Amino acid sequence: MIEVKNVSKKFGDKDVLKNISGVFKRGMTNMIIGASGTGKSVLLKNIVGLVIPDEGKVLYDERDFIKASKEEKKDIRQEIGMLFQGSALFDSKTVEENVRFPLDMLTQMPLDAKMDRVHFCLKRVGLENAAKKTPSEISGGMKKRVGIARAIALETTRYLFCDEPNSGLDPLTSIRIDNLIQEITQEYDITTIIVSHDMNSVMEIGEYIMFLHQGEKKWEGSNETLFDSDVPELNEFLFSNKLMRRFKNEPSSA
Ligand SMILES: Nc1ncnc2c1ncn2[C@@H]1O[C@H](COP(=O)(O)OP(=O)(O)OP(=O)(O)O)[C@@H](O)[C@H]1O
């Protein structure tokens, strides 16, 4: 579980995050959603320690990340897997070398054990036959899978952060990636936080959703309750496209 308590952040005189609190539970796909420029990525950066909040706390299973010693921070970082926007793979390395990268950087494991782990992770994401390929030889969806395999390569992974995991993917591949992230979250009992403005993803896997608007948390809930809200900013966000407006105006056939 990750708890964010009263987090605020200013850049210059601009309040980018205003007193944000929320609980991201273990074994659940938690999402931070909102329009562009509303503070989603800055909140994620505050959670992972790339940005230090001006005020507030970030607790990793009760461990205060901001106040933690260097050693404690190192321990927490070993438990974090990141799936970056655009996958961020090394083009010159093979798929297998990309997945091995965190093991090379952060562990003293013998090579045999590393390779076993790499192949286990590649198998889990359905890429056991692509181990020797380079990123330029595989599709966008496969690259995301490599990114997921790399994010869970460390056996210590307890937290998974995904920044726009579906960017650049077609809707069907996006849903497959969403489902894979959700399965892995449940299977390994990970606390997953996904930053997204993809409504398909939100509806597919948004078990806990935090909606940000201009740096403020305006709503929280699940994909089950998303459409019951009377928060104008959320409704404006949800019904910003024609398809959703049509869905809103169609009487239910149920
Ligand atoms: N390092 C920084 N210095 C100054 N301003 C910043 C910095 N990082 C982000 N901002 C500003 O903070 C605001 C929120 O940015 P953020 O990247 O969190 O938005 P976002 O909701 O993730 O948007 P998008 O969906 O487009 O990625 C923006 O106005 C951005 O310009």
Side-chain angles (χ1 to χ4, degrees):
M1 178 178 92
I2 295 177
E3 198 171 355
V4 169
K5 279 189 170 172
N6 309 105
V7 165
S8 295
K9 183 73 192 171
K10 266 180 194 266
F11 285 121
D13 57 6
K14 186 173 177 190
D15 287 309
V16 175
L17 295 177
K18 301 172 200 165
N19 200 27
I20 308 281
S21 296
V23 175
F24 304 99
K25 287 191 186 147
R26 177 172 298 282
M28 272 174 68
T29 38
N30 301 281
M31 303 190 87
I32 302 170
I33 68 166
S36 252
T38 209
K40 303 181 297 294
S41 299
V42 173
L43 178 57
L44 192 66
K45 285 180 186 163
N46 276 273
I47 294 172
V48 296
L50 291 171
V51 166
I52 308 298
D54 299 329
E55 280 168 52
K57 285 183 180 180
V58 176
L59 303 173
Y60 280 74
D61 290 294
E62 319 271 301
R63 296 170 293 174
D64 187 332
F65 191 46
I66 297 156
K67 287 203 176 133
S69 67
K70 226 173 156 184
E71 276 307 302
E72 287 165 336
K73 278 194 174 136
K74 200 174 148 208
D75 287 347
I76 295 174
R77 284 205 182 97
Q78 294 248 13
E79 297 171 7
I80 293 177
M82 289 276 313
L83 175 60
F84 298 96
Q85 213 180 108
S87 303
L89 303 179
F90 297 105
D91 291 333
S92 59
K93 291 183 188 284
T94 62
V95 161
E96 149 185 291
E97 287 164 348
N98 268 285
V99 177
R100 208 180 80 194
F101 186 72
L103 302 176
D104 289 339
M105 295 303 289
L106 297 168
T107 76
Q108 307 293 324
M109 288 164 75
L111 186 60
D112 281 3
K114 282 186 205 169
M115 294 317 292
D116 284 351
R117 180 69 189 164
V118 166
H119 289 130
F120 171 83
C121 294
L122 283 177
K123 193 162 178 221
R124 180 60 196 84
V125 301
L127 281 185
E128 60 270 53
N129 295 326
K132 303 291 179 199
K133 292 188 191 289
T134 59
S136 64
E137 296 173 305
I138 60 177
S139 68
M142 288 165 84
K143 285 182 196 160
K144 301 282 179 184
R145 287 173 187 271
V146 178
I148 295 170
R150 183 173 62 185
I152 59 164
L154 290 171
E155 276 182 273
T156 46
T157 306
R158 297 174 70 193
Y159 311 99
L160 175 63
F161 302 117
C162 309
D163 192 5
E164 298 285 355
N166 295 331
S167 59
L169 299 181
D170 65 80
L172 196 60
T173 308
S174 294
I175 284 181
R176 291 197 178 122
I177 294 296
D178 289 338
N179 291 337
L180 179 62
I181 292 172
Q182 188 170 43
E183 282 162 26
I184 282 175
T185 299
Q186 291 169 356
E187 214 169 294
Y188 303 117
D189 207 18
I190 292 173
T191 303
T192 293
I193 303 181
I194 302 164
V195 165
S196 183
H197 37 54
D198 179 344
M199 279 310 295
N200 284 335
S201 282
V202 174
M203 292 314 294
E204 188 74 17
I205 57 165
E207 290 177 279
Y208 166 80
I209 301 162
M210 175 187 282
F211 171 69
L212 297 186
H213 178 76
Q214 296 181 357
E216 282 181 68
K217 183 177 93 176
K218 286 282 180 184
W219 183 86
E220 65 184 342
S222 75
N223 52 7
E224 303 275 318
T225 56
L226 193 63
F227 289 96
D228 302 335
S229 125
D230 53 7
V231 175
E233 293 87 350
L234 176 60
N235 285 328
E236 197 181 322
F237 176 75
L238 293 178
F239 299 110
S240 58
N241 73 52
K242 216 173 176 175
L243 183 67
M244 294 307 285
R245 283 196 298 277
R246 194 167 158 186
F247 164 75
K248 185 185 178 188
N249 294 329
E250 290 270 319
S252 166
S253 57

